[in-house]
Amino acid sequence: MRILAKSTLRKFWQRHPDAEQPLLAWYREVEKANWGTPAKVKEMYRSASFVGDRVVFNIKGNDYRLVVRINYPYRVVLIRFIGTHEQYDAVDVRGV
């Protein structure tokens, strides 16, 4: 998969250093993945949630939430949001 907006992750882990290694691990795993359908995402990440056309991943034992939009035909993952649970609760996932 091609992942767009890695800089978003980098900015986040600069503010939350404990998130760096879990986010890098997620990035490396997804980069090697070949998701053609939401079912393929669920095979790899059982805890992933689907909200509209967004996918929500739990990061660092569910300390953080990562929201992405996936273009399956083109194998592109667009990072839309990364934040704490409190920040996540304050946003409309479908609108980020």
Side-chain angles (χ1 to χ4, degrees), residues 9 23 26 55-57 59 64-68 79 81-82:
L9 299 180
L23 285 171
W26 176 88
V55 184
V56 182
F57 295 95
I59 303 294
Y64 304 108
R65 293 279 177 96
L66 173 64
V67 179
V68 304
I79 296 168
F81 171 85
I82 176 74

Side-chain angles (χ1 to χ4, degrees), residues 18-95:
D18 63 325
E20 181 176 6
Q21 290 309 311
L23 285 171
L24 284 173
W26 176 88
Y27 187 92
R28 290 179 188 128
E29 289 172 356
V30 173
E31 203 171 34
K32 294 175 186 171
N34 185 21
W35 295 332
T37 66
K40 293 292 185 185
V41 176
K42 278 299 243 190
E43 283 178 19
M44 192 168 176
Y45 291 99
R46 294 265 180 226
S47 64
S49 302
F50 295 84
V51 181
D53 64 351
R54 306 293 199 254
V55 184
V56 182
F57 295 95
N58 298 322
I59 303 294
K60 194 184 166 276
N62 208 18
D63 286 350
Y64 304 108
R65 293 279 177 96
L66 173 64
V67 179
V68 304
R69 183 162 190 245
I70 302 173
N71 183 318
Y72 296 99
Y74 290 98
R75 307 300 198 262
V76 174
V77 176
L78 178 60
I79 296 168
R80 302 298 299 162
F81 171 85
I82 176 74
T84 64
H85 271 278
E86 184 177 300
Q87 292 166 330
Y88 174 81
D89 290 341
V91 299
D92 174 12
V93 174
R94 296 171 199 253

